[in-house]
């Protein structure tokens, strides 16, 4: 392949990757409902949802001030982005996150709940400042375009393929954003010890992945966090090597070069050294440091869990047994119990999240988990469980981190935007506030003392300090046990109630610390605004080489259980409780930047989506007309930040015939449920030659089809099940033109008048499918989908016809060796149309996902209702159809060091053995009547079942490093086929899953 060919192939693959990214739905949506107001500032439009109090307005004004501060700070190093930035504060989900988008306009969404559940993200002075700075750094980075990219942007507008920095891998994007979140806040993940925990653990196991495998799509632990962890370290080291202006040089270089993913070239020009050279100097590759690290502290721990991956929140059931939450990769998240004496562990129940499960007497546990209450709102609530049986205690209470006293009283954390508070929950779900957080404060991880008279908890103060405090049962702080400008987490009482054990990273890694209570004078009325409390009695209680988290002291006080971090994830482990370790030395505070926020006092106004919906770009469209001529046109689209309105439009002209094809679609989601869709389209799609009795061509007739479609979609998503229903109507108009006008017939002839076809349709889906994190496919549950339509000709209602399709899919896991479970998957489809139907069911072909690489070049196969691999599509047709498939899916290998040419990251391989069968037919009389018009086969022609068997090698990849996709390389051989259908078999390549 020539250099020029390689360049164009690289550009094509990059464009495809970005377009596929744009088609991927967001995992978390914003809520389009309610009253939304906007605060304009110099560079932002800050949108917030009115909650009926001044708190939401105050939070929005604070976010506006933070955004302007971050904008001015970033502008000193990076080129400012084009135009105003829309910033939305959302509080519709009970988790912490944010995301930035540069298409169709620059916009940021922040989910404002503080990240108390993530130890790594607790390394901040203020969550809102951290997340806004991080996401704004993405905008500055991704919006940049120079050279030919900039020229093309001026011509095509904010075309999604003209953001060169979007082609860089996520470890660059996230590493850069983390670098700035830490530089301008003095905190963040660049300063957190947890950032290096995974790389150091990998180094000790001699399993550090090469740069090309720092992908968001890797299946290996820590999965998507790989890009964050390694990218943060690399970009921080690069900026340190290159100096203050080096990040600007690097960003400008990737925004200029036609191949922005030539990272070593950009790194040399920006930072003075290549990423490949820097890689060898990073901490996890410092062999001297790794070799001398004392691992004797690791040997004290006895690992109980047989798996790693993600695990949290150990609690003692008895002095000899523990339970904890885990997502081990092979199964969906659940609760496990381990016998401390034998080390045997087994699964006892399913959970939606990894939050704590607290023994509550007998066989019951109290826990919290999140679930969707509608398509936009995710809330965390309190539950009681006995085995697999669950009973909900609260509804939309936003509770997490519960603990249960012996008499059943529950203490928990209640979430809200920008802060959390401690609450007490009665058995019937009544909630009483114990400790209200002031602005900028949060509470986390409450634990009852053994006698039930006190509560230990973590307090995150507005100054950025964290401390372990002890409160009485009314919420009054009695004692400040320890405090630091570092992470302190998970306090646990010893059985006598006289000592606490917790985890902290102030030694450089997360280690256990302990202190006896009341060694300092008890503070009957402590100054809760102050964090400083010198204590000489805080001692180290562990010395592991990676990190140890979430301690829990055994009922007899001999042992402490915790989650031990390793290269393959967190493991439940136990060790003897040591209270004689060295005294923790108090480290002086590092200087941190002080924000000089400018008050944003501009009057708020009603939310105006229309300015976001103005066309900002256009895409050239090149297609093919009805006679094979080229067509030329353009397309564009937009959506507002709330998703209330979305539109897309395209138009193309056939110059040779002077015919227009095109369409426009609009979505309205202001009500939340239902979502309304409306579309209009026109296409010239057929040409009919007209000949006389001597076969002399008299001319041709062209058909134009115009469609108007309206629908409403109702959905009810849940973590464990979901359902949706779409009802709609379509109106089709068929008009005809002829090269010779007389061919259309008399003035009242059907061709001259055209035809009109109204249609009603109903589609539905119910699903309970689930999968482990490492699964090669859905593993458990079923889906059932149906679509039914009724269509008639407007001037002849008696010609109405209906058709319906039902498809069922089922999945059964098999716990056999491999990186994930084996899966037996089954699919069955039924199609039925009445005898007046003008459309048929077709059998054959491969099913999957199709993607247009460049205009006219399509890779993959569309989703098909009655596929049979190994035979061409459409080899059989009729008004009745049956089909089914059985697949046995086997995990093969997760790749560790496979090369990544042109950014094509190859993650893992699996094998599918399959058999397909299908048949389409018409009732005998109908076959004889309509066998000549294409709806039915002629009687006796290709009549009977088709069946094939074969195998597929399934390759899970990521285009442009990070965007997941699936390639299937298959071979199929028909072993049953009626006369007229060859049994030659076929080799094929397709995209996506078969079903």
């Amino acid at each position: 392949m020539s250099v020029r060919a390689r360049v164009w192939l690289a550009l094509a693959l990059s464009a495809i990757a970005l377009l596929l990214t744009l088609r991927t739905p967001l995992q978390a949506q914003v809520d389009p409902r309610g009253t939304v107001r906007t605060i304009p500032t110099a560079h932002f439009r800050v949108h917030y949802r009115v909650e009926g109090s001044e708190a939401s307005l105050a939070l929005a004004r604070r976010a506006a001030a933070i955004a302007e501060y971050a904008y001015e700070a970033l502008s000193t190093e990076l080129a400012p982005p084009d135009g105003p930035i829309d910033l939305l504060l959302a509080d519709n989900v009970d988790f912490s996150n944010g995301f930035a988008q540069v298409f169709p306009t620059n916009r940021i969404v922040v989910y404002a709940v503080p990240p108390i559940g993530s130890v790594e993200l607790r390394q901040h002075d203020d969550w809102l400042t951290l997340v806004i700075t991080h996401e704004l750094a993405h905008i500055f980075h991704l919006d940049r375009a120079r050279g030919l990219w900039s020229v093309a942007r001026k011509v095509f507008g904010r075309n999604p393929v003209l953001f060169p920095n979007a082609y860089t891998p996520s470890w660059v994007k996230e590493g850069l954003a983390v670098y700035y979140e830490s530089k301008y806040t003095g905190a963040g993940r660049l300063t957190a010890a947890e950032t290096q925990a995974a790389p150091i653990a990998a180094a000790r196991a001699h399993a550090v992945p090469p740069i090309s495998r720092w992908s968001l799509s890797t299946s290996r632990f820590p999965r998507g966090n790989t890009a964050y962890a390694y990218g943060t370290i690399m970009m921080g080291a690069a900026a340190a090597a290159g100096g203050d202006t080096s990040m600007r040089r690097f960003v400008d270089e990737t925004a200029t070069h036609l191949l922005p993913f030539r990272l070593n070239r950009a790194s040399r020009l920006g930072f003075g050294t290549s990423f490949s050279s820097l890689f060898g100097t990073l901490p996890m590759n410092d062999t001297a440091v790794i070799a001398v690290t004392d691992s004797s502290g690791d040997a004290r721990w006895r690992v109980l869990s047989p798996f790693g991956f993600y695990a949290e929140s150990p609690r003692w059931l008895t002095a000899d047994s523990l339970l904890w939450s885990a997502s081990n990769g092979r199964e969906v998240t659940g609760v496990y119990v381990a016998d401390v004496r034998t080390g045997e562990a087994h699964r006892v129940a399913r959970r939606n999240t990894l939050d704590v499960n607290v023994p509550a007497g007998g066989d019951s546990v109290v826990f919290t988990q999140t679930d969707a209450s509608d398509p936009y709102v995710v809330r965390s609530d309190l539950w009681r469980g006995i085995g697999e049986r669950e009973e909900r205690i609260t509804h939309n209470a936003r509770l997490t981190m519960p603990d249960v006293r012996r008499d059943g009283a529950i203490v928990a954390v209640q979430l809200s935007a920008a802060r959390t508070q401690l609450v007490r929950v009665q058995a019937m779900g009544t909630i009483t506030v114990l400790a209200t957080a002031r602005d900028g404060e949060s509470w986390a991880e409450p634990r009852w003392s053994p006698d039930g008279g006190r509560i230990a908890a973590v307090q995150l103060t507005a100054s950025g300090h964290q401390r372990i405090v002890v409160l009485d049962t009314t919420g009054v702080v009695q004692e400040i046990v320890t405090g630091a400008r570092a992470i302190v987490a998970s306090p646990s009482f010893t059985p006598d109630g006289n000592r606490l054990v917790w985890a902290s990273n102030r030694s450089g890694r997360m280690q256990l610390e302990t202190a006896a209570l009341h060694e300092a004078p008890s503070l009957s009325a402590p100054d809760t605004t102050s964090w400083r409390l010198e204590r000489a009695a805080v001692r180290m209680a562990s010395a592991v080489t990676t990190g140890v988290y979430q301690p829990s002291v055994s009922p007899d006080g001999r042992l402490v259980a915790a989650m031990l971090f390793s290269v393959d994830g967190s493991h439940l482990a136990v060790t003897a409780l040591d209270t004689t370790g060295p005294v923790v030395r108090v480290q002086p505070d590092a200087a941190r930047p002080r924000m000089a926020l400018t008050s944003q006092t501009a009057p708020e106004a009603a939310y105006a989506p229309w300015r976001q919906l103005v066309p900002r770009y256009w895409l050239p469209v090149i297609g093919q007309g009805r006679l094979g001529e080229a067509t030329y046109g353009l397309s564009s689209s937009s959506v507002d930040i709330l998703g209330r309105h979305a539109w897309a439009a395209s138009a193309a002209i056939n110059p040779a015939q002077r015919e227009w094809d095109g369409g426009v679609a609009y979505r309205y989601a202001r009500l939340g449920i239902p979502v309304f869709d409306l579309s209009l389209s026109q296409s010239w799609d057929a040409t009919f030659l007209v000949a006389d009795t001597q076969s002399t061509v008299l001319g041709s007739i062209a058909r134009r089809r115009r469609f108007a479609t309206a629908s409403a979609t109702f959905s009810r998503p849940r973590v464990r099940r979901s359902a949706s229903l779409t009802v709609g109507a379509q109106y089709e108009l068929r008009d005809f033109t002829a090269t010779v006008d007389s061919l259309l017939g008399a003035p009242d002839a059907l061709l001259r008048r055209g035809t009109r076809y109204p249609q009603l349709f109903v589609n539905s889906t119910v699903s309970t499918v689930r999968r482990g994190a490492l699964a090669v496919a859905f593993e458990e549950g079923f889906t059932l989908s149906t679509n039914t339509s009724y269509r008639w000709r407007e001037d002849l209602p008696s010609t109405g016809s209906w058709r319906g399709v039902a498809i069922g899919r089922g999945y059964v896991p098999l716990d056999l060796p491999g990186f994930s479970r084996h899966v037996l998957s089954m699919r069955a489809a039924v199609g039925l149309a009445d005898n007046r139907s003008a459309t048929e069911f077709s059998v054959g072909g491969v099913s999957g996902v199709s993607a247009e690489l460049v205009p006219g070049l399509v890779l993959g196969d569309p989703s098909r209702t009655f596929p049979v691999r190994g035979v061409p599509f459409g080899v059989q047709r009729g008004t009745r159809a049956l089909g089914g498939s059985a697949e046995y899916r086997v995990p093969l290998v997760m790749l560790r060091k496979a090369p990544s040419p042109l950014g094509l990251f190859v993650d893992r391989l699996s094998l599918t053995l399959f058999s397909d069968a299908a048949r389409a037919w018409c009732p005998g009389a109908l076959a004889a009547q309509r066998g000549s018009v294409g709806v039915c086969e002629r009687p006796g022609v290709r009549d009977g079942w088709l069946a094939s068997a074969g195998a597929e090698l399934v390759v899970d990849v990521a285009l442009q490093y990070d965007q997941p996709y699936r390639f299937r390389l298959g071979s199929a051989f028909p072993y049953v086929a009626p006369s007229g259908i060859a049994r030659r078999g076929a080799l094929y390549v397709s995209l996506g899953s078969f079903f």
Side-chain angles (χ1 to χ4, degrees), residues 604-621:
E604 70 274 14
Y607 174 70
W610 309 115
R611 69 186 76 183
Q612 303 172 50
L613 297 173
V614 174
R616 307 282 180 173
Y617 79 101
W618 64 279
L619 275 170
V621 175

Side-chain angles (χ1 to χ4, degrees), residues 440-512:
E441 285 187 350
S442 292
W443 290 89
E445 300 178 297
R447 292 288 293 271
W448 289 107
S449 63
D451 63 5
R454 292 168 295 168
I455 301 168
V458 177
Q459 185 184 31
L460 292 84
T461 70
S463 65
H465 295 86
Q466 301 179 30
R467 56 191 188 184
I468 304 292
V469 301
V470 176
L471 308 91
D472 65 17
T473 57
T474 66
V476 175
V477 175
Q478 293 183 324
E479 184 175 0
I480 303 172
V481 181
T482 190
R485 202 159 201 165
I487 295 171
V488 292
S490 310
S492 175
F493 283 96
T494 55
D496 58 13
N498 294 327
R499 179 176 290 274
L500 283 175
V501 180
W502 63 89
S504 176
N505 70 346
R506 54 183 155 190
S507 66
R509 297 187 299 276
M510 284 296 285
Q511 303 289 356
L512 300 190

